[in-house]
Amino acid sequence: MKLLSVNDLSLQNEGYFAFKHVAFSLAQNEIIGIDGDNGSGKSQLLEAIANNFVSDSGTIEYTPGVRIGYLPQVNPEEIDQTVASYLEDIRQLSKDLAVRKEQLKGMITFLGISPYLNRSVRQLSTGLKRQVDFLAAVCGHPNVLLLDEPFAFQTRESIKKMLELINDLKDNGAGVIIACTEFGDDIKKVIDTEYCFSDGILKKNTQENIKQCQLIFSVYPNSIAITHDIEQYMVENVNNRIEMQVPLRIKDSIIKEMTQLNYRFEEVKNIES
Amino acid sequence: MKVKILLRSYLQMFFQNFLYLTSLFTIIAFGLMAGHLLNISELKKYSLLLISIFLLSLLSTMNLYYNDSKRNIYLKQKVNSYWADVLSQFLVALITNTFSAVLIFIFSLILNQDLLLDVIGIFALFSCGMLGSAIATLFKTQWYHHSSLGQVGVLVFVYLAFSGSVIDLLNHVEFILPPLSKMIMTLQLEASITKLLPTAIQAFLYSIILFLVSSFFYKKSKNN
């Protein structure tokens, strides 16, 4: 079931397009990933979907009963309350539709912020504040969850736990939109549909426009012959220098394999095709 | 719960900001010292205190809406209730103006054994404060969508509040103007704080009307 549809949405800021002619839809049990450079329009699009401002043209259709949970890129609110009372207050805003009190407790323990429950939110580090904001977005049990750079300032372990919670929500019928400057391999695994924002235009990420990167290795005297599965990515092999063009998502595994074959990794350059 | 969350946030912003408390204690200090330093009568001092609390609540409430526009956007999205927001803003005006009026009156050294005078003295100060808060609320758009319109609106209303009973030309339309100058003139003519009661009630009702007008006006513009 569709939760929301964005139809030909455009927004201008002081004569410049923040985004133009954006169209996509979000369904239940779907996670959409939107990546793009800084200033490409991701946050503005999420703000428009969260209904914080009105776009210049186009429409957003919300299915009746949609409740939005939103984690903004930066939350300017200064919260003097303790983590426990703040999250409980926010949970109670959604009344019976929110997660149960015990569930919230479970999420807090799972994310590892139990030791900070009695600390005031404004005293927390940026990373911890972000986790509290994430829980504040999730604890109302929204059926549309908008996450703007949710993994900023987070350790790999925290990202993994947040992704598990996001997946849980998805399995319970929610639709999720995650906007990030770049998705790591762990995050890509949970994304069902990936879009890329470039100069205010949203494109579905297909094989043709997936970002690629160029890897450069140097050859040692004891380097072993390159296997057939890696060879397909090689674009040049001159003067003991190997140049490869590989999709960004398999960059790490290629570097690992080449290192195991005794090639020295020299550098990486991102390419957008 | 919605009102509780918003009210807590507004009061925190109001009292944690240096502007309100610094200005309030400046007025209190003025109330304590004015008689000795300027050699003015209690009624003149009280008139100046009425003007001071009006300006104090006008500026503090404008500052509250400024901070609100910067900080509370995502909180309001979570709360998602326009009327809870309106009610919280009104309650903040009631609480802060009561607090200011009581403190200013007590430290003005006008307080005496005549309970009626004390109550009317505090109520008149409170009404002037509410008038300032109501004008700031009516033109809060200066911190959101129409900055110039809001600023001009505040300037015009403050001018009318001070000039309503002073300029003869405005005498015919005095009843629709903010009755601050009317309170000052009444005090000078009647020479008694207790005689201020009708005008103080008028000022309080005027501010309630401004709060109501602004709540429906902003509800309409939000729908648009």
Coordinates of all heavy atoms in Angstrom, one line a residue, chain B residues 21-67:
Chain B
L21 N 14.9 38.7 32.4 CA 15.3 38.9 33.8 C 16.1 40.2 34.1 O 15.9 40.9 35.1 CB 16.1 37.7 34.3 CG 15.2 36.4 34.5 CD1 16.0 35.2 35.0 CD2 14.1 36.7 35.5
T22 N 17.0 40.5 33.1 CA 17.8 41.7 33.3 C 16.9 43.0 33.3 O 17.0 43.8 34.1 CB 18.8 41.9 32.1 OG1 19.5 40.6 31.9 CG2 19.9 42.9 32.4
S23 N 16.0 43.0 32.3 CA 15.1 44.1 32.2 C 14.2 44.2 33.4 O 13.9 45.3 34.0 CB 14.2 44.0 31.0 OG 15.0 43.7 29.9
L24 N 13.7 43.0 33.9 CA 12.8 43.0 35.1 C 13.5 43.6 36.3 O 13.0 44.5 37.0 CB 12.3 41.6 35.4 CG 11.4 41.4 36.6 CD1 10.1 42.2 36.4 CD2 11.2 40.0 36.9
F25 N 14.7 43.2 36.5 CA 15.5 43.7 37.7 C 15.9 45.1 37.5 O 16.0 45.9 38.5 CB 16.7 42.7 38.0 CG 16.2 41.5 38.7 CD1 16.1 40.3 38.0 CD2 15.6 41.5 39.9 CE1 15.7 39.1 38.5 CE2 15.1 40.3 40.5 CZ 15.1 39.1 39.8
T26 N 16.1 45.6 36.3 CA 16.3 47.0 36.1 C 15.1 47.8 36.5 O 15.2 48.9 37.2 CB 16.6 47.3 34.6 OG1 17.7 46.4 34.2 CG2 17.1 48.7 34.3
I27 N 13.9 47.3 36.1 CA 12.7 48.0 36.5 C 12.5 48.0 38.0 O 12.1 49.0 38.6 CB 11.5 47.4 35.7 CG1 11.6 47.6 34.2 CG2 10.1 48.0 36.2 CD1 10.6 46.8 33.4
I28 N 12.8 46.9 38.6 CA 12.6 46.8 40.1 C 13.6 47.8 40.7 O 13.2 48.5 41.7 CB 12.9 45.3 40.5 CG1 11.8 44.4 40.1 CG2 13.2 45.3 42.0 CD1 12.0 42.9 40.4
A29 N 14.8 47.8 40.2 CA 15.8 48.8 40.8 C 15.3 50.2 40.6 O 15.4 51.0 41.5 CB 17.1 48.6 40.1
F30 N 14.7 50.5 39.5 CA 14.1 51.8 39.2 C 13.0 52.1 40.2 O 12.9 53.2 40.8 CB 13.6 51.9 37.8 CG 12.9 53.2 37.5 CD1 13.5 54.3 37.2 CD2 11.5 53.2 37.4 CE1 12.8 55.5 37.0 CE2 10.8 54.3 37.2 CZ 11.4 55.5 36.9
G31 N 12.1 51.1 40.4 CA 11.0 51.3 41.4 C 11.5 51.6 42.8 O 10.9 52.4 43.5
L32 N 12.6 51.0 43.1 CA 13.2 51.2 44.5 C 13.8 52.6 44.6 O 13.7 53.2 45.7 CB 14.2 50.1 44.8 CG 13.7 48.7 45.2 CD1 14.8 47.7 45.2 CD2 13.0 48.8 46.6
M33 N 14.5 53.0 43.6 CA 15.3 54.2 43.7 C 14.7 55.5 43.1 O 15.1 56.6 43.5 CB 16.6 54.0 42.9 CG 17.4 52.8 43.3 SD 17.9 52.8 45.0 CE 19.2 54.1 44.9
A34 N 13.7 55.4 42.3 CA 13.1 56.5 41.5 C 12.7 57.7 42.5 O 13.0 58.8 42.2 CB 12.0 56.1 40.6
G35 N 12.0 57.3 43.5 CA 11.5 58.3 44.5 C 12.6 59.2 45.0 O 12.5 60.4 45.1
H36 N 13.7 58.5 45.4 CA 14.9 59.3 46.0 C 15.7 60.0 45.0 O 16.0 61.2 45.2 CB 15.8 58.3 46.7 CG 15.1 57.5 47.8 ND1 14.6 58.1 49.0 CD2 14.7 56.2 47.9 CE1 14.0 57.2 49.7 NE2 14.0 56.0 49.1
L37 N 15.9 59.3 43.9 CA 16.8 59.9 42.9 C 16.2 61.1 42.1 O 16.8 62.1 41.8 CB 17.3 58.9 41.9 CG 18.4 57.9 42.5 CD1 18.8 56.9 41.4 CD2 19.7 58.7 42.9
L38 N 14.9 60.8 41.6 CA 14.3 61.8 40.7 C 13.3 62.7 41.4 O 12.8 63.7 40.8 CB 13.6 61.0 39.6 CG 14.4 60.1 38.8 CD1 13.5 59.3 37.8 CD2 15.5 60.8 38.0
N39 N 13.1 62.4 42.7 CA 12.2 63.2 43.5 C 10.8 63.4 42.8 O 10.3 64.5 42.6 CB 12.9 64.6 43.7 CG 12.3 65.3 44.9 OD1 11.7 64.6 45.8 ND2 12.4 66.6 45.0
I40 N 10.3 62.2 42.4 CA 8.9 62.3 41.8 C 7.9 61.6 42.7 O 8.3 60.8 43.6 CB 8.9 61.5 40.4 CG1 9.5 60.1 40.6 CG2 9.6 62.3 39.4 CD1 9.4 59.3 39.3
S41 N 6.6 62.0 42.5 CA 5.6 61.4 43.4 C 5.4 59.9 43.1 O 5.8 59.4 42.0 CB 4.3 62.2 43.1 OG 3.8 61.9 41.8
E42 N 4.6 59.3 44.0 CA 4.4 57.8 43.8 C 3.5 57.6 42.5 O 3.7 56.6 41.8 CB 3.6 57.3 45.0 CG 4.6 57.1 46.2 CD 4.1 56.0 47.1 OE1 2.9 55.8 47.2 OE2 5.0 55.5 47.9
L43 N 2.6 58.5 42.2 CA 1.8 58.3 41.0 C 2.6 58.4 39.8 O 2.4 57.7 38.8 CB 0.6 59.4 41.0 CG -0.5 59.1 42.0 CD1 -1.5 60.2 42.0 CD2 -1.2 57.8 41.8
K44 N 3.5 59.4 39.8 CA 4.4 59.5 38.6 C 5.3 58.3 38.4 O 5.5 57.8 37.3 CB 5.3 60.8 38.7 CG 4.5 62.1 38.4 CD 5.5 63.1 37.7 CE 4.7 64.1 36.9 NZ 3.6 64.8 37.6
K45 N 5.8 57.8 39.5 CA 6.6 56.6 39.5 C 5.8 55.4 39.0 O 6.2 54.6 38.2 CB 7.1 56.3 40.9 CG 8.0 55.1 41.0 CD 8.8 55.0 42.3 CE 8.0 54.4 43.4 NZ 8.7 54.2 44.6
Y46 N 4.5 55.3 39.5 CA 3.7 54.2 39.1 C 3.4 54.3 37.6 O 3.4 53.3 36.9 CB 2.4 54.2 39.9 CG 1.5 53.0 39.6 CD1 1.9 51.8 40.1 CD2 0.3 53.1 38.9 CE1 1.1 50.7 39.9 CE2 -0.4 52.0 38.6 CZ -0.1 50.8 39.1 OH -0.8 49.7 38.8
S47 N 3.2 55.5 37.1 CA 2.9 55.7 35.6 C 4.1 55.2 34.8 O 4.0 54.5 33.8 CB 2.7 57.2 35.3 OG 1.6 57.7 36.0
L48 N 5.3 55.6 35.3 CA 6.5 55.1 34.6 C 6.6 53.6 34.7 O 7.1 52.9 33.7 CB 7.8 55.8 35.2 CG 7.9 57.3 34.9 CD1 9.0 57.9 35.7 CD2 8.2 57.4 33.4
L49 N 6.2 53.0 35.8 CA 6.3 51.5 35.9 C 5.3 50.9 35.0 O 5.6 49.8 34.4 CB 6.0 51.1 37.4 CG 7.1 51.4 38.4 CD1 6.6 51.1 39.8 CD2 8.4 50.7 38.0
L50 N 4.1 51.5 34.8 CA 3.1 51.0 33.8 C 3.8 50.9 32.4 O 3.6 49.9 31.7 CB 1.9 51.8 33.8 CG 0.9 51.7 35.0 CD1 -0.2 52.7 34.8 CD2 0.4 50.3 35.1
I51 N 4.4 52.0 32.0 CA 5.1 52.1 30.7 C 6.2 51.0 30.6 O 6.4 50.3 29.6 CB 5.6 53.5 30.4 CG1 4.5 54.5 30.3 CG2 6.5 53.5 29.2 CD1 4.9 55.9 30.3
S52 N 6.9 50.9 31.7 CA 8.1 49.9 31.8 C 7.6 48.5 31.6 O 8.2 47.7 30.8 CB 8.8 50.0 33.1 OG 9.2 51.3 33.3
I53 N 6.5 48.1 32.3 CA 6.1 46.7 32.2 C 5.5 46.4 30.8 O 5.7 45.3 30.3 CB 5.1 46.3 33.3 CG1 5.0 44.8 33.4 CG2 3.7 47.0 33.2 CD1 4.2 44.3 34.6
F54 N 4.9 47.5 30.2 CA 4.4 47.3 28.8 C 5.5 47.0 27.9 O 5.5 46.1 27.1 CB 3.7 48.6 28.4 CG 3.3 48.7 27.0 CD1 2.2 47.9 26.5 CD2 4.0 49.4 26.1 CE1 1.9 48.0 25.1 CE2 3.7 49.5 24.7 CZ 2.6 48.7 24.2
L55 N 6.6 47.8 28.0 CA 7.8 47.6 27.1 C 8.5 46.3 27.4 O 8.9 45.6 26.5 CB 8.7 48.8 27.2 CG 8.2 50.1 26.7 CD1 9.1 51.3 27.0 CD2 7.9 50.0 25.2
L56 N 8.6 46.0 28.7 CA 9.2 44.8 29.1 C 8.5 43.6 28.5 O 9.2 42.7 27.9 CB 9.2 44.6 30.6 CG 9.6 43.2 31.2 CD1 11.1 43.0 31.1 CD2 9.1 43.1 32.7
S57 N 7.2 43.5 28.6 CA 6.5 42.3 28.1 C 6.5 42.3 26.5 O 6.6 41.3 25.9 CB 5.1 42.1 28.7 OG 4.5 43.3 28.5
L58 N 6.4 43.5 26.0 CA 6.5 43.6 24.5 C 7.8 43.0 24.0 O 7.8 42.1 23.1 CB 6.3 45.1 24.0 CG 6.4 45.3 22.5 CD1 5.1 45.0 21.8 CD2 6.8 46.8 22.3
L59 N 8.9 43.5 24.5 CA 10.2 43.1 24.0 C 10.5 41.6 24.4 O 11.0 40.8 23.6 CB 11.3 43.9 24.6 CG 11.3 45.4 24.2 CD1 12.3 46.2 24.9 CD2 11.5 45.5 22.7
S60 N 10.1 41.2 25.6 CA 10.4 39.8 26.0 C 9.5 38.8 25.2 O 10.0 37.8 24.8 CB 10.0 39.6 27.5 OG 10.7 40.5 28.3
T61 N 8.3 39.2 24.9 CA 7.4 38.3 24.1 C 7.9 38.3 22.6 O 7.9 37.2 22.0 CB 6.0 38.7 24.2 OG1 5.6 39.0 25.5 CG2 5.0 37.7 23.6
M62 N 8.4 39.4 22.1 CA 8.9 39.4 20.8 C 10.2 38.5 20.7 O 10.4 37.7 19.8 CB 9.3 40.8 20.3 CG 8.1 41.6 19.8 SD 8.4 43.4 19.7 CE 9.8 43.5 18.7
N63 N 11.0 38.6 21.8 CA 12.2 37.8 21.9 C 11.8 36.3 22.0 O 12.5 35.4 21.4 CB 13.0 38.2 23.1 CG 14.4 37.6 23.1 OD1 15.0 37.6 22.1 ND2 14.8 37.1 24.3
L64 N 10.7 36.0 22.7 CA 10.3 34.6 22.8 C 9.9 34.1 21.4 O 10.3 33.0 21.1 CB 9.0 34.6 23.7 CG 8.4 33.2 23.9 CD1 9.2 32.2 24.7 CD2 7.0 33.3 24.4
Y65 N 9.2 34.8 20.7 CA 8.8 34.3 19.3 C 10.0 34.2 18.4 O 10.0 33.4 17.5 CB 7.7 35.2 18.7 CG 6.4 35.2 19.5 CD1 5.7 36.3 19.8 CD2 5.9 33.9 19.9 CE1 4.5 36.2 20.6 CE2 4.7 33.9 20.7 CZ 4.0 35.0 21.0 OH 2.9 34.9 21.7
Y66 N 10.9 35.1 18.6 CA 12.1 35.0 17.8 C 12.8 33.7 18.1 O 13.2 32.9 17.1 CB 13.1 36.2 18.1 CG 14.4 36.0 17.5 CD1 14.6 36.2 16.1 CD2 15.5 35.7 18.3 CE1 15.9 36.0 15.6 CE2 16.8 35.5 17.7 CZ 17.0 35.7 16.4 OH 18.2 35.5 15.8
N67 N 13.0 33.4 19.4 CA 13.7 32.1 19.7 C 12.9 30.9 19.3 O 13.4 29.9 18.9 CB 14.0 32.1 21.2 CG 15.1 33.0 21.6 OD1 16.0 33.2 20.9 ND2 15.0 33.6 22.8

